[in-house]
Amino acid sequence: DITLKNLGDILFVGDLKLGLFAIHFMVFATVGVINELNMSDGVDGLAGGYTLTALLGLLYLAWGCEPCVNEQKLLMLLIAAVLGFMLLNMRSPWCRKAKVFMGDSGSMFLGFALAVAFIHLSQGDTKIMAPVTALWLFALPLMDTVSIIVRRKKKGQSAFAPGQDHIHHILQRAGYTVGQINLMGWGASVVLAVIGIIGFRLGVHDGIMFAGFITLYFLYHWMVSRALRKNQIFNRPLQAQIDD
């Protein structure tokens, strides 16, 4: 009974209700989130950090919502599980090398869990946020994946084939360490999530939040594409890295 029926007033013409296309769009969105998290799992700790940011944002929004008590408990369980995983996955003074890896099964499970949470908590009686808020909670993996698909399609390449044109690969070739990449990725993810939460809390119109996100995506796509063209960072050798 979890269905994405209403996208909110993202086009300034009233609530965009999906009607007969609700199930189809929900499946598309769910598979999209799964793939976005899977494709961001390229350096140790990065995908876990993105997941943790989204889960903490959802828990903050759900806190105090009486119909969402079970959802709060489930979110806390997921947060605890991800934190425990990250202690043995991300690089740190007490863990110089990852001891566990997420793998496709881990990223697919967490991506599915996030997608269900985004849909369930933006609809009906358990609505704690606008649907557009989910874009901000998961902004960086979403923008990176869409940008990659657009670039590959322009080159006539498969959108979902393995590659080294993700933002974390680009930063690695630019000389940043895994720890630095994680700090930048997590930091940007937290900032974008906070923008989405503040926008919702202040009652900013869905259309403005959506327009802001689209503008941010085009800026991101332009910056990454320019870095690839101008700096020729793909000519630099990629540092040794254990990927899933």
Side-chain angles (χ1 to χ4, degrees), residues 196-219:
I197 291 172
I198 291 176
F200 175 72
R201 290 294 197 194
L202 294 179
V204 178
H205 193 279
D206 290 351
I208 295 176
M209 295 299 295
F210 184 67
F213 181 83
I214 296 299
T215 302
L216 184 66
Y217 161 73
F218 280 112
L219 178 61

Side-chain angles (χ1 to χ4, degrees), residues 3-105:
T3 310
L4 184 57
K5 299 178 180 179
N6 189 344
L7 298 181
D9 188 11
I10 59 175
L11 300 178
F12 298 98
V13 293
D15 285 356
L16 184 59
K17 297 181 179 180
L18 297 172
L20 295 176
F21 298 99
I23 298 295
H24 305 79
F25 192 87
M26 182 187 68
V27 171
F28 172 79
T30 301
V31 174
V33 173
I34 290 172
N35 275 286
E36 288 150 17
L37 189 62
N38 180 267
M39 294 174 78
S40 69
D41 185 28
V43 296
D44 300 328
L46 190 61
Y50 289 154
T51 303
L52 191 61
T53 299
L55 290 173
L56 287 170
L58 288 171
L59 181 61
Y60 172 78
L61 289 168
W63 202 257
C65 173
E66 292 186 4
C68 303
V69 174
N70 290 331
E71 285 78 3
Q72 293 169 23
K73 294 178 180 178
L74 183 56
L75 287 170
M76 285 189 283
L77 285 171
L78 286 170
I79 289 169
V82 174
L83 278 173
F85 164 78
M86 288 185 65
L87 288 175
L88 299 176
N89 175 250
M90 66 181 186
R91 308 292 177 87
S92 63
W94 58 86
C95 187
R96 297 287 184 179
K97 186 177 180 181
K99 298 180 181 179
V100 294
F101 301 96
M102 186 174 291
D104 289 341
S105 296

Side-chain angles (χ1 to χ4, degrees), residues 77-141:
L77 285 171
L78 286 170
I79 289 169
V82 174
L83 278 173
F85 164 78
M86 288 185 65
L87 288 175
L88 299 176
N89 175 250
M90 66 181 186
R91 308 292 177 87
S92 63
W94 58 86
C95 187
R96 297 287 184 179
K97 186 177 180 181
K99 298 180 181 179
V100 294
F101 301 96
M102 186 174 291
D104 289 341
S105 296
S107 61
M108 289 178 69
F109 165 73
L110 290 175
F112 179 77
L114 281 176
V116 172
F118 288 150
I119 294 170
H120 180 58
L121 296 174
S122 65
Q123 309 288 312
D125 295 336
T126 55
K127 181 175 180 178
I128 58 168
M129 64 179 184
V132 71
T133 308
L135 299 179
W136 291 92
L137 293 177
F138 204 58
L140 206 53

